[in-house]
Amino acid sequence: MEITTKQYKRCDLVKAVGRIDSNTAPELEKKFNEILDNGSSGVAFDMAEVDFISSRGLWVLLETQKTCKKNKGKLVLVNVSENMQQALDLAGVKHFIDIYDDLTEAIGSF
Amino acid sequence: MPSKTFAGRFTSLEKIADFIAQAAQKAGFDSKSAYAIQLAVDEACSNIIEHGYAERENGKICCNYEVLENGLKIVIQDWGKSFNPNEVPKPNFEVALEDLKPRGAGLYFMKEIMDEVNFEFDNKDGNLLTMIKRK
């Protein structure tokens, strides 16, 4: 999995390419933790090129959201494919994390 | 029944997914169902590696499949620690964010996605998980 980040005025954008499973989720978790440890509490996660996410990956997103919320910020998801959406729906993720179809809109939500 | 054995490590998950994607394609599932089947198998294998083998390096996972007239049967065999699926709690996602707990999510996903999920544990033959997805 490749992970890139970009800093915006009010949030950090994280983009991952590939699979988020039990093998790769710790890598993503580390990246989110680095961002949050640096004092940011607004994260937009671009999933346009994520082709798989397991419950372990979803857990990373939910734990990241817990930390963001504690710090009065939030995690949002953007570009979630239909396939990925079914995994998110199984865990009711949309009740805990806002999902956007458009990157500009996601970044503008901060 | 096509069969393939993988090392019981998290690095095998992508190869297992490729094998299952082929199976789903041969069985004629659409992309969305094929993805869901891969997710169920990924959850099963992740649990075997994490809990059954406790991330021990020398475990094996044998995946078999059979294309059925109306679906796909997948049999996963391992020789790790057995468990009682009835004792795994059903995760509760209808709680406040801070009260969410991950335990049991994998098994819950498997049961939600597949039409049949059946575990057999045998000292000689190891643990057999049979899952069926119908069209």
Side-chain angles (χ1 to χ4, degrees):
Chain A
M1 183 172 55
E2 281 173 50
I3 306 171
T4 52
T5 60
K6 191 173 175 183
Q7 253 186 334
Y8 284 83
K9 201 174 172 184
R10 289 193 171 83
C11 72
D12 283 71
L13 174 68
V14 178
K15 187 174 168 70
V17 179
R19 290 169 54 87
I20 309 174
D21 56 19
S22 293
N23 186 41
T24 57
E27 209 181 316
L28 182 66
E29 191 169 31
K30 196 174 153 210
K31 182 56 74 182
F32 282 140
N33 287 340
E34 270 172 28
I35 291 170
L36 300 175
D37 288 346
N38 281 338
S40 178
S41 61
V43 181
F45 182 42
D46 186 351
M47 295 179 73
E49 291 182 64
V50 172
D51 41 44
F52 181 86
I53 189 161
S54 69
S55 65
R56 177 70 178 84
L58 294 179
W59 188 244
V60 169
L61 302 182
L62 291 166
E63 279 292 302
T64 301
Q65 181 69 311
K66 282 186 190 180
T67 311
C68 288
K69 292 274 181 183
K70 264 185 218 155
N71 299 332
K72 311 277 178 223
K74 64 176 177 178
L75 164 74
V76 301
L77 307 181
V78 60
N79 294 323
V80 178
S81 72
E82 200 186 336
N83 279 348
M84 224 67 52
Q85 187 70 51
Q86 47 179 338
L88 267 61
D89 286 347
L90 282 172
V93 167
K94 66 180 174 199
H95 301 298
F96 306 105
I97 305 177
D98 290 336
I99 301 172
Y100 292 88
D101 293 330
D102 179 76
L103 191 56
T104 313
E105 207 188 322
I107 299 210
S109 76
F110 287 90
Chain B
M1 202 187 240
S3 168
K4 210 165 178 179
T5 301
F6 300 89
R9 301 187 192 119
F10 288 140
T11 49
S12 298
L13 292 172
E14 189 169 359
K15 293 177 203 125
I16 294 171
D18 290 343
F19 181 66
I20 296 301
Q22 279 176 17
Q25 195 186 16
K26 279 186 195 165
F29 281 100
D30 62 19
S31 155
K32 201 174 168 189
S33 299
Y35 179 91
I37 296 167
Q38 284 180 65
L39 178 58
V41 171
D42 185 277
E43 298 294 344
C45 295
S46 296
N47 280 346
I48 291 167
I49 298 162
E50 186 180 350
H51 305 294
Y53 288 129
E55 298 187 43
R56 205 172 70 214
E57 285 289 307
N58 58 353
K60 294 260 183 279
I61 297 176
C62 185
C63 296
N64 309 271
Y65 69 83
E66 185 183 348
V67 174
L68 307 174
E69 204 178 317
N70 64 341
L72 179 65
K73 177 163 116 177
I74 295 166
V75 180
I76 300 170
Q77 188 176 18
D78 74 273
W79 294 265
K81 198 179 146 198
S82 60
F83 73 107
N84 182 351
N86 298 323
E87 284 176 2
V88 177
K90 189 180 166 199
N92 184 2
F93 298 114
E94 290 173 3
V95 293
L97 176 67
E98 58 273 21
D99 297 326
L100 278 177
K101 291 188 175 62
R103 192 153 182 253
L107 183 59
Y108 171 75
F109 278 20
M110 289 154 60
K111 287 179 173 171
E112 284 292 303
I113 292 166
M114 305 300 278
D115 294 300
E116 281 183 39
V117 176
N118 182 46
F119 291 93
E120 291 167 71
F121 301 103
D122 186 286
N123 285 338
K124 197 163 82 94
D125 295 332
N127 310 314
L128 275 184
L129 164 63
T130 305
M131 297 195 284
I132 293 176
K133 178 77 174 170
R134 295 191 190 90
K135 283 188 202 156

